Every structure is written in C-alpha cells, then in structure tokens.
Amino acid sequence: MLLTKSPLSLSIQRVLTKRFYAASASSEIKKTALYDFHVKKGGKMVPFAGYYMPVQYDNLGISASHLHTRQKASIFDVSHMLQSRVTGKDRNKFFERLVVADLHQLPIGQGTLSLFTNEQGGIIDDTIIMQQQDSLYVVSNAACADKDLAHIRKHLAEFQNKGFDVDFNVIQDHSLIALQGPKAAEALEGLVGKSLEDFSFMHGRQMDIAGVPCHVARSGYTGEDGFELSIPTEEINTLTEKLLAHPDVELAGLGARDSLRLEAGLCLYGHDLDETTTPVEAGLTWTIPKSRRETGGFLGAEHILPQIKGGVSRRRVGLVVQGAPAREGAEILNKEGQVIGAVTSGCPAPSLKKNIAMGYVKNGFHKKGTELNVKVRNKVQQAVIAKMPFVEAKYHK
C-alpha cells in the first residue's frame, strides 16, 4: 500500500521535516546503531535531537504508517533517547528531590511517567522511571539530554557531599526500540517463546528475546499496546530484523510517531511542555501522587502544590479544527476575536480524518465543547475544545 503521495501524508511530511531540521541545533549529527539499517530499508533520514533519524520509509507514507501502527504493529528506533541508571541505597530519596513521583512506594518491576521540575515549578523534562531490584532505570528525552545530565549531576554532587549513598550512570551499551500496535505482543511472543498476557502496562522485566538478555517495558508513545526494548547494541540489528520478519510488523519513523502521540493526547517536550510550564498548567497533575502533594520535597513544590488547590491562569487543551491544520504558534481566539492562547502541536489525524491540535488557553475557555477560533495563515477558522485523548488508549491493563 503506497500512500506516500497522498495530500495528508505530504502535509504531515512538510511540517515535520521543517520541525526536525529546526530541532537540531548541534552541528555534529550523531547516528544510532540502526542508521545503516534504516537507509537499507528506505528510510528518509533527517536530523532530529542531534541524531539522523528516519522520518518515514519508501514503502509506506506517514499516514499509511500511522494507520498500520493502529491496526497491526510498527517498530520505532528510539535509541536517541537517554537511558540511565541510578544506584545506591539512597537512590529513591535522591531522585524524589528531582521528580514529582513517589519512588519509595513504586513496586519493583513497575514504572511511572514523571517530570523533572525546576525551582520555579517549570518542567525540565518528562521521563519514564522503572523501579528495579537494585536500581532505577530512567529514560528521558534526547533533545533534553545535555541539560538533564547537567541538572542531575549538579544535585548528585550535592547529595554525595552530604554522605548519601547514590550514583548515576548513563547506559552506553544498549540501544532502544519501541514495538507498538495491537499485534506487538504477538510479534514479541514469537521471539520470547511464552505468553505475555500477565505483563501489564507500565511494568518492566528482564527477559531473553531470541536468546538475547534485554530489558522490556510494556509502554510506548502511541496510545497503543506495545513495548520498549532495551537491547545490547551489538544485537540491535539482528533482533530488529527478527521482529520485522513478522508479517504484521513494519518500520515506522518520526512522522507517524508524532501524529500517533498527538492523537493519544501525549505531550512533546519543547513544544507542549517547557521550563515555563508547570505540571498543573499542562494537565499533568495526575503525575503527582497524594503522598507528594502532602509532603512536597521536590524542586518547585512551593509553586506547584498551591496551584492544585488554587488553580492556574491557563490550561492545556485539545482542539478539533475546521479548515487547514493549525500548526504550532497559531493564535487561539475567543468568539470576540481576542487572543486567549496558542497552539503548541497540530496535524491532520489519520485515524479520525480531522485536523487536531493541542495548545494552551486562558482558564475558563478549557471546557469540552467550548467553541473558539484559530488563526491559520491570517485566516480565522472554527475550532472546538475536545476531550483528550482524541483516540482512545488501548494499553494492556
């Protein structure tokens, strides 16, 4: 099925290619261990977060790849993400200073989405933290790697100087891929030789994949069931090829990843989240459990916790837009024509055949069904606040 030339696919490709080139500030672009694999398979490579990454492949356009992921399964190279490990008996105490999660209450083998916050309550980055027997396994964004590492190491030195037992190391010898879609479990089961029915969303475990020891988390960034596989780098090409041998599995690039995550109502750091945005404004209050709301102790808590009870002046919302797609930066207007916010992400939604967007609006305009306008290339278009996710999540509970 070749949909590379479809208007929807071309529209997504144009805006994403522009975004990805703009997102690469470094003059030295790195390559993941799968770079040659992508090129061989027809990947269109673009700079993104300091790496050459595939935005799409020759055999499937972005829209077709998106729909294939929703219907079957796709492999995404996410080796550009920062994988790290926190060790020592005081690791939970240390990391709870930096993130909003309750790690002391996080059972072994379970993970959580959390947020690094700064002293003003802004979001430094979003991250997945997995509690393991003797460590915390942490995955954070590639585009934020340098500032995340500087932030973590600054506070690490302070903790260590106070005598706490904690250490932090970047995982250098493993690559990361995401297998996403309703056929993901079936494809992986064929290589692990057992059912994964008892493996729930946001849990992780060590397991052999075709005889190779890997860390597997049942998680992802598409709203579909799926897994993120941390694989020894020397085996990454072999195992990716074996997963791709399943008849329902295809490769997918950054283009489909972006439209899938937006349909799922998931934020992209640097666009929907930044250091001037608090978790409450971003609609991520749920990442702060009751225990942390009571005790605080994380950076910026004195700014964030009062917002939970007292409210905020703006809120992140979802929009369904009439007419042309509303892209990042488009003004959001009330019916009187006053600017009340801005779009932070937007694209055509292949699953819905509608244009969707995410953005921030003044408090009071955030309720579902509120009719607004957006300004796209100086043309005013109708929009309505919609509940997120736009497409129902299908995580394996």
Side-chain angles (χ1 to χ4, degrees):
M1 179 170 58
L2 293 176
L3 295 182
T4 307
K5 299 296 185 180
S6 74
L8 178 57
S9 183
L10 287 171
S11 176
I12 297 173
Q13 181 181 337
R14 279 194 296 269
V15 69
L16 291 176
T17 299
K18 180 179 179 182
R19 175 192 290 176
F20 297 151
Y21 274 97
S24 298
S26 173
S27 58
E28 182 181 351
I29 309 299
K30 302 174 186 177
K31 297 178 180 178
T32 72
L34 284 168
Y35 176 86
D36 291 336
F37 185 92
H38 296 311
V39 172
K40 181 181 177 182
K41 299 293 185 181
K44 177 181 173 57
M45 310 302 289
V46 300
F48 177 69
Y51 287 81
Y52 282 114
M53 301 295 291
V55 67
Q56 69 174 97
Y57 294 84
D58 287 344
N59 66 319
L60 285 177
I62 292 172
S63 178
S65 182
H66 175 116
L67 295 172
H68 181 89
T69 308
R70 289 270 183 253
Q71 297 160 4
K72 295 183 180 179
S74 298
I75 298 171
F76 300 83
D77 182 6
V78 288
S79 298
H80 60 308
M81 303 286 279
L82 179 65
Q83 298 182 78
S84 56
R85 196 174 304 283
V86 190
T87 55
K89 66 181 179 64
D90 296 315
R91 62 186 179 275
N92 289 335
K93 181 180 180 68
F94 165 61
F95 230 60
E96 281 187 354
R97 176 64 176 157
L98 305 184
V99 301
V100 301
D102 183 346
L103 301 175
H104 283 89
Q105 299 299 317
L106 188 65
I108 292 171
Q110 189 167 326
T112 184
L113 172 69
S114 195
L115 306 168
F116 289 103
T117 51
N118 61 26
E119 287 82 354
Q120 293 74 43
I123 300 170
I124 294 175
D125 199 5
D126 56 306
T127 182
I128 297 289
I129 306 170
M130 191 73 61
Q131 186 72 264
Q132 297 184 326
Q133 185 70 41
D134 58 355
S135 63
L136 297 173
Y137 169 62
V138 182
V139 179
S140 50
N141 286 300
C144 299
D146 289 344
K147 72 169 182 175
D148 287 357
L149 290 174
H151 179 71
I152 292 167
R153 286 169 175 160
K154 172 191 171 184
H155 289 277
L156 177 69
E158 294 173 359
F159 255 67
Q160 290 174 332
N161 289 338
K162 292 177 181 178
F164 290 106
D165 177 22
V166 61
D167 203 2
F168 172 86
N169 290 284
V170 175
I171 298 172
Q172 305 275 15
D173 58 353
H174 279 58
S175 293
L176 194 65
I177 59 172
L179 177 65
Q180 299 283 292
K183 295 292 186 178
E186 178 184 306
L188 188 56
E189 285 170 345
L191 297 183
V192 301
K194 60 181 178 182
S195 170
L196 298 175
E197 183 61 29
D198 67 338
F199 195 168
S200 299
F201 176 64
M202 288 306 293
H203 285 71
R205 59 180 67 166
Q206 298 289 335
M207 62 173 60
D208 286 357
I209 303 176
V212 178
C214 303
H215 180 266
V216 181
R218 198 153 198 170
S219 59
Y221 192 51
T222 62
E224 294 293 331
D225 182 25
F227 305 86
E228 293 187 329
L229 315 176
S230 183
I231 299 170
T233 295
E234 66 269 18
E235 300 288 349
I236 188 68
N237 281 268
T238 301
L239 287 191
T240 303
E241 191 72 80
K242 287 183 177 181
L243 287 167
L244 195 57
H246 190 283
D248 290 329
V249 177
E250 294 281 356
L251 292 169
L254 294 166
R257 186 170 169 83
D258 195 59
S259 55
L260 286 160
R261 69 92 190 169
L262 186 51
E263 285 188 350
L266 301 173
C267 297
L268 177 63
Y269 193 86
H271 301 268
D272 312 301
L273 305 174
D274 59 32
E275 292 194 38
T276 69
T277 303
T278 70
V280 184
E281 291 173 323
L284 297 174
T285 307
W286 61 269
T287 64
I288 310 173
K290 181 180 179 181
S291 58
R292 302 307 309 274
R293 299 183 194 190
E294 293 173 349
T295 62
F298 53 87
L299 294 173
E302 65 272 24
H303 298 285
I304 296 169
L305 297 182
Q307 291 183 346
I308 296 176
K309 292 184 178 180
V312 290
S313 61
R314 61 173 186 151
R315 294 173 179 266
R316 179 171 64 94
V317 296
L319 295 161
V320 174
V321 179
Q322 302 297 318
R327 307 297 189 184
E328 181 177 0
E331 293 179 340
I332 303 173
L333 316 172
N334 64 15
K335 285 301 184 179
E336 287 70 45
Q338 298 167 318
V339 178
I340 58 165
V343 170
T344 53
S345 291
C347 72
S351 303
L352 304 173
K353 294 182 172 56
K354 297 177 181 178
N355 293 322
I356 60 173
M358 188 186 295
Y360 287 82
V361 298
K362 289 182 180 179
N363 191 37
F365 292 93
H366 63 282
K367 294 182 180 179
K368 179 184 175 183
T370 301
E371 295 182 354
L372 300 170
N373 291 320
V374 294
K375 186 178 286 187
V376 180
R377 295 191 293 274
N378 291 319
K379 182 180 179 181
V380 175
Q381 300 177 178
Q382 293 181 343
V384 63
I385 299 291
K387 182 180 178 181
M388 291 189 289
F390 298 97
V391 173
E392 183 181 358
K394 301 181 182 71
Y395 304 128
H396 182 75
K397 302 294 187 178

